[in-house]
Amino acid sequence: KVVMIGVFITARLGSTRLSEKHLIEVYQKPLIKWLVERFSIAFKENIEKNDLKIFITTSIKTENKKFESIFDKSEVEVFYGSDENIPLRHLECAVENDIDYIISIDGDDILCSTEASKSVVEKLLSGSSMVQTKGLPLGMNSTGYSKMFLKNSLKGIESNKLETGWGKIFDASKIEFIQLKTDVSIEKIRMTLDYEPDADFFKKVLSNIDVLNVTDNILIDTILKNKWNQLNNHLDNIYWSNFNKQKQEKIK
């Protein structure tokens, strides 16, 4: 049996903070398509050998049908699964499509590292249950796990609501970390899509860098040299202050 790898890009179109954010276009191409194309190019050989497939893993809500109009089926499959339990959605997709190992990517992370993902695949194929990279900016690190590890981690909580922070279902002692070294400081770069300034950041980067072929180090270096990170790096404070405010309100 051929070992199958699934690149699962988790996305849905019901975001309240930034409406239909994955469909925001740069050069007439939706942001999520940029992400998919990065992985299509990086894993071209695997895709041609038919041992890797790319999926948009979304929820069963009707609004998500719009993803189908963006992608050619030969390029990416749209999978509709559990609405509020993301790891269950991954398991459903893996079972239905006979996937052995999952590379889990948040659809907000338009510039998730394909280099990091290749390192994760290597470790999984050599027997690791779960692998995570560390050392890249927010939104660039990669995570992967075996279908069996996911299935065992989900036992008894299949009906839970698992959306934000669902990575806590995994036994931390079983996760293998890969420490990646970059040549530059990465603390002040935010590469994830939640708010309008995040979209501005991605537009700036995608308009000025060939992101389909650039290395991680050159990408990070160019962002810092041009100070594009200043477009949205203030948002982490806003995000956490909102988060803590909501927590305080719950306590009251």
Side-chain angles (χ1 to χ4, degrees), residues 34-244:
W34 286 96
L35 171 58
V36 166
E37 284 186 7
R38 276 170 60 79
F39 277 80
S40 297
I41 289 167
F43 287 98
K44 188 170 181 277
E45 275 181 39
N46 299 81
I47 292 167
E48 284 171 355
K49 284 197 298 195
N50 208 27
D51 59 20
L52 183 141
K53 282 184 184 166
I54 301 174
F55 297 85
I56 303 293
T57 51
T58 192
S59 94
I60 48 174
K61 289 207 168 138
T62 319
E63 66 220 19
N64 298 313
K65 290 275 179 197
K66 284 187 187 172
F67 284 126
E68 283 185 33
S69 62
I70 304 172
F71 295 106
D72 189 310
K73 244 197 150 161
S74 61
E75 182 184 23
V76 68
E77 281 186 46
V78 182
F79 178 84
Y80 302 94
S82 173
D83 187 32
E84 293 187 325
N85 187 323
I86 292 171
L88 178 61
R89 193 190 303 164
H90 283 192
L91 184 60
E92 290 165 342
C93 185
V95 168
E96 193 170 305
N97 293 282
D98 211 13
I99 301 295
D100 301 291
Y101 296 102
I102 296 152
I103 299 298
S104 172
I105 297 166
D106 193 316
D108 294 349
D109 299 346
I110 310 302
L111 296 170
C112 179
S113 168
T114 56
E115 292 170 42
S117 298
K118 284 181 177 181
S119 305
V120 169
V121 167
E122 220 171 277
K123 285 274 186 204
L124 289 171
L125 293 177
S126 65
S128 300
S129 299
M130 180 165 179
V131 185
Q132 280 184 340
T133 65
K134 285 158 65 164
L136 293 174
L138 177 71
M140 274 190 83
N141 284 297
S142 182
T143 298
Y145 34 79
S146 72
K147 175 171 66 183
M148 282 313 299
F149 188 61
L150 174 62
K151 189 179 178 182
N152 292 332
S153 303
L154 257 174
K155 273 192 181 133
I157 51 171
E158 293 89 346
S159 59
N160 288 22
K161 183 175 176 173
L162 291 167
E163 289 181 297
T164 309
W166 56 269
K168 62 181 181 288
I169 70 164
F170 299 111
D171 177 350
S173 68
K174 301 263 168 62
I175 303 171
E176 191 169 341
F177 289 99
I178 302 172
Q179 182 67 49
L180 298 171
K181 295 231 181 334
T182 50
D183 301 336
V184 286
S185 161
I186 52 112
E187 282 77 40
K188 290 288 179 193
I189 310 181
R190 175 186 158 83
M191 294 206 215
T192 194
L193 182 65
D194 278 313
Y195 302 96
E196 197 70 54
D198 294 325
D200 295 337
F201 165 81
F202 283 118
K203 283 175 187 171
K204 184 63 84 175
V205 174
L206 296 172
S207 304
N208 289 283
I209 299 178
D210 174 13
V211 299
L212 300 180
N213 298 294
V214 73
T215 64
D216 289 349
N217 272 329
I218 291 173
L219 175 65
I220 293 163
D221 202 30
T222 310
I223 288 166
L224 288 172
K225 270 186 184 153
N226 289 284
K227 299 184 176 165
W228 297 329
N229 55 311
Q230 291 177 11
L231 289 167
N232 68 337
N233 66 7
H234 62 285
L235 291 173
D236 278 340
N237 297 337
I238 294 169
Y239 176 83
W240 288 114
S241 74
N242 284 345
F243 180 84
N244 291 325

